[in-house]
Amino acid sequence: MKKLMAVAVLGGVALVSGCSDIQNSRDLANPNLSGQQLAVQVCSFCHGAGGNSINAQFPRLAGQQPQYLTEQLKAFRSHGRSDPKAMQYMWGIARSLTDNQITELASYYYGQIPTHGAPTDTALVEQGNKIFHNGIPETNVPPCFACHGADGHGHDNFPRIASQHANYIIKQLHVIKYTDGRPQAAIMKGVAHGLDNEQIRAVATYLSGQS
Amino acid sequence: MKYRISSGMRAMARHLQWVLPTALAVTTTVVSMDAAAVPAFARQTGQNCQACHVGGQFPELTPYGRLFKLTGFTLGQRASVPLAIMGVFTAVQNPGDRAVNGSNVTNDGALTFATSSLFFGGKLTDSIGALAQYTWNNAYNNGQNNTWFPLTGTAGSDNTDFRYAQHITNGNNDLIFGVSVNNNPGVEDVWNSSAAWGYNTVPGSFGSDNSISPILNQGLAQQAVGAGAYVYWNRTVYAEVSGYRTGDGVFSFLTQGIPSSAMNYISGTAPYVRLALTHDWGNSNAMIGYTYFAPDVYEGNLNGGPYDAYRDNMVDFQYQYILDPNTVTVELSDINETVNYGSAAGSAMDTNSLFRAKASYTYEAKYGVTLLYSNGTNNVNPTSPVNTLQYGSTAWTPEVFWIPIQNVRIGYQYTIYTSLGDIAGQQALGTMPVQLSKPGDYNTSFFYVWAAF
């Protein structure tokens, strides 16, 4: 019993010391936490260390364009982006982020080195390569690089799509094609409608393997 | 808390007619709700239940849910009222038991208000958080004396886990370490294959049988209080050392609701050691683990005198595939136990084991199917002072469930017994009714409605 009492006392000490433990904080309502600390203590649980997520449920954020990421985080916070996963996962996380924290988060992830996948379906990759560079004239799909850059790294509020999980790109193109959950991506709606499921899969697979 | 037959009750069972069918019914139905999907946590993070629970299928944790727990429930923003409530309705149909004991709420399939809980859950400081559950068992008598009636209900402490945690990372190394104070050996675990989690969803969930279950399988839940330290390094190696003592004195609030006549008192401090290796790749993750638990428990629910030395070893494994809209979970655990009876002449010993394997699939976090296999064996030393029969059981439990909204789950399961130990021997001793001579006579169907807000 004495040992348990000792544990209780230690726990009490820890409780008191824990009150000011900002370096270890995962408090999403504390505006004093830096974006980098939020990235390490909170975001990394799903988006991986340095923004390179393992599970394709969660997009890779490493190297993402800061203006794009800032827009997305603000859209999560304002509920302006309402695809199901945004609502289920990100509305709550972003609800109390400050503008400054969002800027710092975007800057942090832009500075991280992205990793990429290694797709094995060479035929699919080649089909995606053609779509990325040539588009699909028959359905008025422009080449992806026209907006997303020659390497797919994006610029301004055009997102980096190179090295992204294929499954994430596929799901987002379906969200854009069939719903109005991402109004900021309205410019992509016509493009997405020009792509069938096979073509979406091809371009997503190609991009997942690009550095 | 899962019901467990104590050594004293085993001895008593020899002298009572029809105890076993009642015990069977009770073991099939008397377990309290595992602390699980807690809307208070969802309010803290602002996220959907499925962020932490695989396919919305509580209590099974996703990788993110495990990290949320290992970092002390501290992620998010503190809720002004960190409370949640839960209610469970169940219907149990057991024709065999009805043929012997007549129709009653344990076997007639009538929908019954079974249990409700109040949860406190969430962050207290940047490093400290808690999950505390207080349960009102309306239809069940908390598994303490094999009685259902009258349905006056009992209230008591349920799973409780206070945690302190730190998370340090420098890019190359990632270290989470912390302390847990809790009232159920294993409830601090974050993998679904561990004994305290994964196999029981609501009161009466699958995996119940009449075998003598190893004490690690929640045999000291809400009776012991323990503290321990853990580390999780680079999301690869987990190690924990804890010690458990009887939850009395200043800690009796954690064992509240268990009368002293039903308490299992521990001699000294029981060591609990947990090791696990984990790996994430693609949309999959896996864990293989080991647990050692060694309580010395005084006999006869007394706080002194001779004690029985339990030595439990568990090997467990878990695999998850998570990619919307599909999730697949596979869990295995194998607990092997030796019991050295202190009051016996010489060194009388029993060995008990419990093997469970479960596979689940969910679609769109709305529809799910599960299959559980459970095999408990009790190998009896002929010189054992308290146990002369082979109990043990083997059962299969398929389940289907539906989650219409994230706060509600409706499920149906059917438990098929393929063996129940030495039935003829138990009938000869009068501990099993002669009318029911096949394992299948004990098959049980179970319907539940669960809701939490």
Side-chain angles (χ1 to χ4, degrees), chain A residues 21 40 56-57 88 95 171, chain B residues 44 48 127 166 169 283 324:
Chain A
D21 188 13
V40 170
Q57 292 264 97
Q88 291 164 357
R95 61 187 154 169
K171 287 199 172 115
Chain B
Q44 177 177 308
N48 188 282
S127 306
Q166 294 269 338
T169 182
N283 304 314
D324 187 57

Side-chain angles (χ1 to χ4, degrees), chain B residues 186-258:
Chain B
V187 82
E188 70 275 32
D189 210 79
V190 295
W191 287 280
N192 314 320
S193 51
S194 61
W197 301 105
Y199 301 102
N200 299 304
T201 305
V202 297
S205 277
F206 39 39
S208 311
D209 52 59
N210 74 335
S211 61
I212 298 165
S213 184
I215 204 164
L216 179 57
N217 187 29
Q218 303 201 64
L220 292 174
Q222 286 78 60
Q223 300 181 46
V225 172
Y230 61 90
V231 295
Y232 189 36
W233 177 71
N234 275 1
R235 316 233 173 129
T236 302
V237 179
Y238 176 84
E240 175 197 341
V241 177
S242 294
Y244 284 90
R245 297 174 66 93
T246 301
D248 52 9
V250 294
F251 294 102
S252 57
F253 74 97
L254 292 169
T255 59
Q256 203 261 327
I258 307 279

Side-chain angles (χ1 to χ4, degrees), chain A residues 17 20 82 95 107 112-113 119 121-122 131 155 170 181:
Chain A
S17 64
S20 57
S82 57
R95 61 187 154 169
S107 174
Q112 302 303 305
I113 299 169
D121 188 336
T122 52
I131 294 170
H155 61 87
I170 292 168

